[in-house]
Amino acid sequence: MNITKRFPDLFVPPHILSIEPYVPGKPIEELEREYGIPGSVKLASNENPLGPSPMAMKAMESAIGKVHRYPDGGAFELTRILSEHLGVPPEMIVFGNGSDELIGLLCHTLLMPGSEVVLPQPSFLIYDIMTRSMGARPVNVPLKSLSIDLDAALGAVTDDTRMVFINNPNNPTGTIIRKEAFEKFLAKLPPRVMVVVDEAYIEFVRDKACAVGTDYLDGPNPLAVLRTFSKAYGLAGLRIGYGIMPREIRDLINRIRMPFNASVLAQVAAGAAIKDTDFLEKTKRVIWDGLSYLFDAVGSLGLTCFPTQSNFFLIDMKQNAGEVFEKMLRRGVIVRSMASYGFPEYIRVNVGLPEENERFVEALEGILK
Ligand code: PMP
């Protein structure tokens, strides 16, 4: 560790040293800078290929003259819009600087050294990082056939378990939890365990049997549903997500939430985006059409794509995923190697625009030759 060489007398808590820094998808600008490839394509961060919601852009344009003021820390107007849209009381809604921030806030509110957190593996890496940041212990539960294994998650619960993360659909596998399975799980889970249902990709789900976290807010377990404007609404760069949870949990979070964590522009954009139903429908069409094109095209190259309920999917490359990632980069296409997620031969790809999908398939064909 460099830190101990540079500052030998500095005490760094061991749980901080145990954290592997999160490696985000490579930005297009970085690829272009490093490899000198113009017109590159990024299919690595599950972003919306259509761009931002047009209604959100318009709302931001008209609010731009207000950014000399701090935002409304309680996000009154946005909370009202969402409350109406979702049919839940405003007291149950809280916003974050991306849903990332809410994952951190829940961990910081409810965990301490000695706490255990049940984490299906692989899943979104931030759960592990935020758990460790509190000196709490991640208890990993392997997926079963790429799906979250709820029985195994129950089996991992001990007296010290404080929280369980359920990512539905699960990143990076795209699998979902069905209502029946989720209800059985909740019925057996001790009521002291906080359930975090991360629904960052819920808008893309087509399976009607998929559990939706908001149906379970009145149960004995404290349960928080996390959603985001980064994916289906095209606002990843703006950083805004929200949580729906019992008001008592929201009040706890509000004790430590930074008062201005959702910016002026993020608040107005989110309020407009949630009403932009045309954009959401267009987005879903692009994703679903793109998935059927990509599954056919990749399948005809002799590779296996795993079924997904999201805007991304896994491909078994049957070769080193890190090398595939590098070779695709050299062809101007950014994908995600799943090596750090425990799948050394899988890559994760998200659906792009039709021309981006074609470029991906061409590049893939090129590296298989
Ligand atoms: N949850 C999951 C499962 C994700 O994949 C992501 C983004 N990659 C997030 C949460 C965070 O999204 P954001 O902070 O942009 O709302």
Side-chain angles (χ1 to χ4, degrees), residues 348-366:
R348 193 194 68 199
V349 182
N350 69 257
V351 179
L353 295 172
E355 57 271 27
E356 294 174 323
N357 300 335
E358 282 165 24
R359 174 104 184 258
F360 164 77
V361 173
E362 265 168 42
L364 196 64
E365 200 170 3

Side-chain angles (χ1 to χ4, degrees), residues 89-105:
E91 300 77 27
M92 295 178 77
I93 299 171
V94 59
F95 294 92
N97 191 256
S99 54
D100 270 358
E101 191 197 17
L102 293 166
I103 295 168
L105 283 168

Side-chain angles (χ1 to χ4, degrees), residues 98-100 103 124 127 167 171 198 200-201 228 230-231 239:
S99 54
D100 270 358
I103 295 168
F124 188 40
Y127 310 146
N167 188 196
N171 177 10
D198 180 351
Y201 302 96
T228 183
S230 297
K231 312 294 177 183
R239 312 305 303 126

